[in-house]
Amino acid sequence: MRTVNEVSKLTGVSVRTLHHYDAIGLLKPTEVTQAVYRLYDDTALSRLQNILLFRELQFPLKEIKTILDNSSFDPLEVLTQQIELLELQYKHIGELISFAREIQKKGVREMNFHVFDKSEMEQYRAEAKAKWGDTREYQEYEQKQKSGYDFSETTSQLMNWFIEIGALRQLSPADKAVQGKIGALQNWITSNYYTCNAEIFRGLGQMYVNDERFKHNIDTVGGEGTAEFVKQAIEIYCSK
C-alpha cells in the first residue's frame, strides 16, 4: 500500500490531481485510514496507469471513468486499442516533424495542410468510445446481438448499398441522386444497427476510408474509389 504522496512521486501525478480523481470517482483510494490518509494498492495503480494512457490519448476524464467502469471492460483488448492509438499518434508526430524540417529547409512558403489531419486518430478514438463508453448507440447494437439478430444478412445488404452508390461515382458527391442514396443509407443503418446521428455517420465515412478492411471490401463491390466517394458524400450530407 502506498500513500498519496508516494503515488505522486512514483507516477509524476500531483497530489492535487489524485485528490481530484478521488473526488470525481475516477480513482478511489483502496483504503482511507482513521487519520484520513489515502492508501493505494497495485490494483489502484493499475487503474491509474490506464487513466494516464487514456489521458495521453486525449480522452476526457468523464469518458475514461465510463470506460473503466464498464462491466465488459477487457484490459487486454483495451490495451491493444491504446497501442493502436499511440502508434497513430507516433506516426502523426513523425509526419509533423518531417514537415517542420521541410519548412526549415525550403522556407516558410512550403504549404501542406494534410499533415495536420487527425481524422484517422479521431475515428479510432470514436470506435473505442463507442465500444467501451456505454453509449446508447452501442447498447442498441449489443441488444440486437443478444436477441439473436442476424447480422450476416444486413452485412450483405450493406454491401448492396455500396454497389448502388459506387454506380454513381461519375457524378459529384454533392449530386442530388448521390445525396438521396446517402440519406437512405443513414436511415438504413439506424434501422438495422443503431441510431446513426450525424457525428456517428461522419465517423463511419472516415472509417470506410481509413480502415483497410472496409476500404478493400467497399472498393471491391462498388469499384475502385467507392470508399472515398462515399466518405466525401457523407461529409457533404452531414454538413447540411
Side-chain angles (χ1 to χ4, degrees), residues 149-162:
Y149 190 85
D150 185 7
F151 282 105
S152 60
E153 179 62 28
T154 54
T155 299
S156 175
Q157 292 173 9
L158 179 61
M159 289 299 109
N160 286 334
W161 278 104
F162 294 131

Side-chain angles (χ1 to χ4, degrees), residues 108-124:
V108 294
R109 291 187 178 276
E110 178 71 11
M111 295 291 179
N112 179 7
F113 293 97
H114 175 71
V115 295
F116 300 104
D117 182 10
K118 292 185 178 181
S119 59
E120 191 174 5
M121 281 191 291
E122 290 302 325
Q123 173 53 36
Y124 205 91

Side-chain angles (χ1 to χ4, degrees), residues 12-240:
V13 178
S14 71
V15 170
R16 183 178 180 180
T17 297
L18 291 170
H19 286 174
H20 177 61
Y21 288 175
D22 181 10
I24 64 175
L26 178 59
L27 180 69
K28 304 295 289 184
T30 309
E31 182 183 327
V32 179
T33 69
Q34 289 185 342
V36 200
Y37 285 112
R38 292 174 172 85
L39 299 177
Y40 299 81
D41 63 6
D42 287 345
T43 300
L45 289 178
S46 177
R47 183 178 173 98
L48 177 57
Q49 184 171 266
N50 255 313
I51 292 168
L52 296 179
L53 275 171
F54 276 120
R55 288 301 285 156
E56 286 293 327
L57 295 168
Q58 325 255 310
F59 278 70
L61 294 179
K62 185 177 179 180
E63 288 179 12
I64 296 173
K65 183 179 185 305
T66 303
I67 291 170
L68 297 181
D69 290 345
N70 191 316
S71 59
S72 302
F73 179 76
D74 182 337
L76 290 178
E77 188 174 350
V78 168
L79 182 60
T80 299
Q81 291 178 322
Q82 288 172 332
I83 290 170
E84 289 280 355
L85 270 168
L86 287 167
E87 287 177 342
L88 287 172
Q89 193 166 289
Y90 176 76
K91 174 187 170 188
H92 178 68
I93 291 172
E95 289 172 349
L96 285 174
I97 291 171
S98 297
F99 175 59
R101 284 177 175 157
E102 280 296 304
I103 293 177
Q104 187 180 52
K105 180 180 177 181
K106 297 181 179 179
V108 294
R109 291 187 178 276
E110 178 71 11
M111 295 291 179
N112 179 7
F113 293 97
H114 175 71
V115 295
F116 300 104
D117 182 10
K118 292 185 178 181
S119 59
E120 191 174 5
M121 281 191 291
E122 290 302 325
Q123 173 53 36
Y124 205 91
R125 188 178 289 116
E127 287 180 37
K129 177 183 173 182
K131 170 140 193 170
W132 303 109
D134 204 26
T135 62
R136 178 170 58 84
E137 291 79 19
Y138 188 73
Q139 287 173 11
E140 287 180 42
Y141 177 71
E142 197 173 46
Q143 191 59 44
K144 284 183 178 178
Q145 283 185 315
K146 289 177 180 177
S147 66
Y149 190 85
D150 185 7
F151 282 105
S152 60
E153 179 62 28
T154 54
T155 299
S156 175
Q157 292 173 9
L158 179 61
M159 289 299 109
N160 286 334
W161 278 104
F162 294 131
I163 291 171
E164 292 181 18
I165 297 172
L168 303 175
R169 295 194 319 283
Q170 78 280 4
L171 302 174
S172 163
D175 187 274
K176 185 177 180 180
V178 177
Q179 289 296 296
K181 286 287 185 186
I182 293 298
L185 173 61
Q186 183 187 34
N187 292 332
W188 181 87
I189 292 171
T190 294
S191 298
N192 290 274
Y193 288 99
Y194 41 70
T195 302
C196 186
N197 59 34
E199 179 186 3
I200 290 173
F201 200 30
R202 183 179 277 113
L204 287 173
Q206 293 286 349
M207 185 175 67
Y208 294 155
V209 172
N210 294 330
D211 188 310
E212 285 301 322
R213 297 162 299 175
F214 275 97
K215 186 175 186 298
H216 172 75
N217 291 335
I218 292 170
D219 284 354
T220 296
V221 298
E224 190 66 30
T226 298
E228 177 63 31
F229 182 74
V230 171
K231 186 204 83 169
Q232 292 176 15
I234 289 175
E235 282 288 340
I236 293 167
Y237 184 84
C238 292
S239 297
K240 291 178 181 178

